[in-house]
Amino acid sequence: MIAPSILSADFARLADELAAIKGADWVHVDVMDAHFVPNLTLGLPVVESLLKVTDIPVDCHLMIDDPDRWAVGYAEAGAYNVTVHAEAVHDPVKMAADLR
């Protein structure tokens, strides 16, 4: 599978960058909050915008504190996959069920 990461894109031209990877199996989105990991990237509003301009399935990797609060929103927005870190969620089994 080919899953280019949006982090390598030109953020000023995200729609064009997504068009350039037409044919990819997924587009990978690393969501980082500068708490769970030291980096800060993008969040749910940007993912929602991406979903409006591509038919490539979006794979969201949440590296954030409190994914219990945010993860389901990514799935409801239309993310194909939502990955959370088990050590960051209150109840990993419940989280998996909620995401499903």
Side-chain angles (χ1 to χ4, degrees):
M1 294 191 76
I2 297 177
S5 173
I6 201 71
L7 285 182
S8 63
D10 177 347
F11 278 26
R13 300 178 47 241
L14 285 178
D16 294 333
E17 296 279 30
L18 287 173
I21 60 169
K22 189 173 178 87
D25 297 298
W26 295 344
V27 60
H28 183 78
V29 178
D30 284 311
V31 177
M32 299 180 249
D33 65 1
H35 296 279
F36 186 71
V37 296
N39 297 341
L40 179 63
T41 59
L42 46 88
L44 183 54
V46 174
V47 170
E48 289 171 332
S49 295
L50 294 173
L51 288 162
K52 291 177 185 175
V53 297
T54 188
D55 59 357
I56 302 169
V58 175
D59 170 43
C60 294
H61 177 196
L62 307 185
M63 294 176 273
I64 60 174
D65 278 342
D66 199 13
D68 295 291
R69 177 178 176 192
W70 297 103
V72 171
Y74 286 86
E76 290 174 343
Y80 185 77
N81 291 321
V82 179
T83 303
V84 299
H85 288 254
E87 68 273 22
V89 297
H90 179 260
D91 182 345
V93 173
K94 181 180 181 320
M95 173 57 67
D98 290 347
L99 287 171
R100 183 167 298 276

